[in-house]
Amino acid sequence: MTPAQNALIDALSGQLDAKSIVTDPAEIAPWETDWRGRYHGHAPALIAPSSRDEVSAVVRLATRFGVPLVPQGGNTSMVGGATPPGNGSALILSTRRMNRIRSLSADANLAIAEAGVILADLHAAAEEIGRRFPLTLGARGSATIGGLVSTNAGGTQVLRWGTMRALVAGVEAVLPDGSIHDGLSALKKDNRGYDLNQLLIGAEGTLGVVTAAALRLAPAIAARGVAWAGLQNPADALALLRRMEAATSAIESFEIIPGDSLELVVEHIPGTRKPLAGTHPWHVLIEAVSSDPAAESPAALLERLLAPALESGLVADAVIAASEAQADAFWRIRDSLSEAERASGPAVQHDISVPVDVMPRFMIEAARAAEQRFAGTHATAFGHLGDGNVHFHVRAPAGTDRDRWYAEEAPGITRFVNDLVVAAGGSISAEHGIGQMKIGELARLAPPGRIEAIRAIRRALDPAGIMNPGKLVTLAPGNEAP
Ligand SMILES: Cc1cc2nc3c(=O)[nH]c(=O)nc-3n(C[C@H](O)[C@H](O)[C@H](O)COP(=O)(O)OP(=O)(O)OC[C@H]3O[C@@H](n4cnc5c(N)ncnc54)[C@H](O)[C@@H]3O)c2cc1C
């Protein structure tokens, strides 16, 4: 530990209980590596305050002693956003003990949840009052509200409900000087200048520590229908979505999955099996929901809407889940795509968006271009077609040495893919954020004015540069080692 870190820990031990300060390397170790195992950092201590005021004390003292902090929730970041730097210069500030749901109101349709509340726990709590929080993703058993706010997370219900930006009604946060921003009142109308809540959403821990959020709830679902369809290409998938949307507003999720990704899941994830008997180049997973028990059942609705698509050949085959267990099994396939790929070997991932109408062609042409340019690789894209956001992955040739490939090949592949994305008018980060993984590419590709504005905001709020260093943008240009 540096002298400044020692001084900080000494000062904190007078203010926090023993459980809040962890210095045992074995206990810290799991939190020093990211979910994908791509980034390995080092933090001499992990601080886990249990309240907003304790977070404020930690941040105030860290600023005074000049000790950087890395806010961390569930550590499921896909871009190394919550992994500390490797040189031990920063401490982890974990929100894991701030896990209370402060209030849940069916009348206000709001939940106020602390930063460390796990998404799945919020789902369960909302259900108990006949409501739901309409955002979900594969990491829901670990991802926290603070992390979801700070990455402006998306997931599989954005089509209907939007990203966290649309679902967060207010944010409570400790700013880098230790002062508190209390935006939890969730006013529908509030025009007192800049919107600090929105500034903190998607800030990736660079502007302060989110300590709680007011979250919009939706009516509970009375019934859902889940369908799995096999089809020829992404263009047909988008055409199907548009036809369905023209007939109903009940479509909540519409996920596209390539045939080879499905094969990987079946191979690597125990207990999974293909929903359809035949083999299809592409698949879509569709969920329709209803909050009205008297309305046509969503399963019947899906059947009615899929019938003409099957007849016309737009869809080759389809099955409607016959039970909740089968619906869960379909979703398990979708949620296991990243895990199955991780088990199958090295891959370089790109969470990208392009305009929705451009996406079907982009998925095919960019994959073909990447495979031609990088011999032996396999490129594939899956995800949120209706949002114009897919996870575009390039898998290494079979038998590749993982570390060498990541060090020598992956950066060139990423530059190639990102150039295609920018040429198509898209974004190199649709929902995962920038973290440390994309910091160099953001600096290379974003318009200079945008980067400078982000830097100026960061400098203004955090002049000592203590919040999540080395993520999103560097304070000084030209220092963005990926
Ligand atoms: C299997 C899997 C599937 C996923 N699917 C999706 C998906 O569909 N859509 C999607 O958007 N993401 C997805 N993700 C990414 C990830 O789940 C989200 O980025 C999530 O929001 C991270 O939450 P977390 O609590 O794990 O945050 P962490 O990983 O701990 O942190 C993420 C970032 O937020 C910052 N941070 C965390 N807590 C705070 C806080 N309280 N205050 C300030 N900053 C904070 C960290 O410093 C870091 O920059 C997926 C991840 C996995 C592993």
Side-chain angles (χ1 to χ4, degrees), residues 140 224-229 255 257 261-262 265-266 269-276 283-287 319-337 339:
R140 62 185 162 274
R224 68 169 174 163
V226 176
W228 188 283
E255 298 286 304
I257 298 150
S261 295
L262 174 62
V265 172
V266 174
I269 308 293
T272 54
R273 60 191 192 92
K274 292 201 237 174
L276 298 172
H283 302 258
V284 288
L285 173 61
I286 311 164
E287 178 161 312
V319 57
I320 314 279
S323 64
E324 273 298 300
Q326 201 178 11
D328 287 344
F330 290 179
W331 270 110
R332 179 149 180 255
I333 295 171
R334 166 63 187 92
D335 289 338
S336 303
L337 291 172
E339 203 182 322

Side-chain angles (χ1 to χ4, degrees), residues 47-99:
I47 304 171
S50 61
S51 68
R52 178 193 77 173
D53 291 348
E54 286 189 2
V55 173
S56 168
V58 173
V59 173
R60 200 180 293 277
L61 285 166
T63 294
R64 186 194 307 158
F65 291 109
V67 175
L69 298 172
V70 178
Q72 192 181 79
N75 197 24
T76 65
S77 168
M78 287 287 198
V79 289
T83 308
N87 61 7
S89 57
L91 307 185
I92 294 172
L93 191 157
S94 169
T95 57
R96 64 187 183 195
R97 293 177 64 215
M98 297 179 57
N99 56 4

Side-chain angles (χ1 to χ4, degrees), residues 144-465:
T144 63
I145 296 308
L148 296 160
V149 170
S150 301
T151 57
N152 182 29
T156 50
Q157 291 166 320
V158 172
L159 191 63
R160 190 161 182 220
W161 298 100
T163 63
M164 283 298 278
R165 276 195 201 286
L167 294 169
V168 172
V171 173
E172 176 193 87
V174 171
L175 301 178
D177 65 355
S179 64
I180 286 161
H181 163 66
D182 183 353
L184 291 181
S185 57
L187 299 172
K188 194 151 192 167
K189 293 189 153 184
D190 180 9
N191 276 351
R192 290 174 289 173
Y194 303 148
D195 188 335
L196 290 185
N197 293 330
Q198 286 294 331
L199 199 56
L200 287 156
I201 299 171
E204 302 190 32
T206 62
L207 300 181
V209 181
V210 172
T211 49
L215 302 160
R216 299 195 166 97
L217 302 178
I221 291 171
R224 68 169 174 163
V226 176
W228 188 283
L231 27 72
Q232 275 306 311
N233 54 52
D236 286 354
L238 186 60
L240 176 67
L241 171 63
R242 294 303 185 226
R243 279 191 200 180
M244 292 181 124
E245 283 175 337
T248 177
S249 55
I251 305 297
E252 183 144 308
S253 303
F254 193 94
E255 298 286 304
I256 187 160
I257 298 150
D260 57 336
S261 295
L262 174 62
E263 302 290 344
L264 277 190
V265 172
V266 174
E267 188 183 334
H268 293 285
I269 308 293
T272 54
R273 60 191 192 92
K274 292 201 237 174
L276 298 172
T279 300
H280 305 278
W282 293 89
H283 302 258
V284 288
L285 173 61
I286 311 164
E287 178 161 312
V289 302
S290 164
S291 329
D292 177 2
E296 177 187 22
S297 90
L301 171 74
L302 286 177
E303 200 171 341
R304 182 162 63 77
L305 297 181
L306 279 167
L310 279 159
E311 246 165 62
S312 69
L314 186 64
V315 167
D317 195 6
V319 57
I320 314 279
S323 64
E324 273 298 300
Q326 201 178 11
D328 287 344
F330 290 179
W331 270 110
R332 179 149 180 255
I333 295 171
R334 166 63 187 92
D335 289 338
S336 303
L337 291 172
S338 295
E339 203 182 322
E341 188 187 77
R342 191 168 65 157
S344 82
V348 53
Q349 295 89 3
H350 310 90
D351 156 47
I352 53 114
S353 62
V354 298
V356 180
D357 55 333
V358 174
M359 183 54 93
R361 214 178 62 228
F362 181 89
M363 289 169 75
I364 302 290
E365 291 179 1
R368 195 181 299 136
E371 286 172 358
Q372 275 170 5
R373 173 76 176 71
F374 302 97
T377 58
H378 181 76
T380 191
F382 65 88
H384 322 300
L385 179 68
D387 308 332
N389 165 209
V390 292
H391 304 304
F392 188 96
H393 294 187
V394 182
R395 300 209 285 267
T400 298
D401 175 73
R402 181 186 158 92
D403 292 341
R404 189 201 62 75
W405 194 74
Y406 278 134
E408 293 172 18
E409 307 288 336
I413 296 174
T414 292
R415 280 194 294 275
F416 181 82
V417 172
N418 286 345
D419 285 345
L420 296 176
V421 169
V422 171
S427 164
I428 65 162
S429 180
E431 58 177 9
H432 291 164
I434 299 298
Q436 53 185 301
M437 187 192 214
K438 297 188 174 185
I439 190 168
E441 282 295 89
L442 183 71
R444 183 174 77 86
L445 293 167
R450 183 174 180 142
I451 295 279
E452 268 318 308
I454 294 175
R455 275 201 182 105
I457 293 167
R458 194 168 178 174
R459 275 193 215 107
L461 286 182
D462 183 19

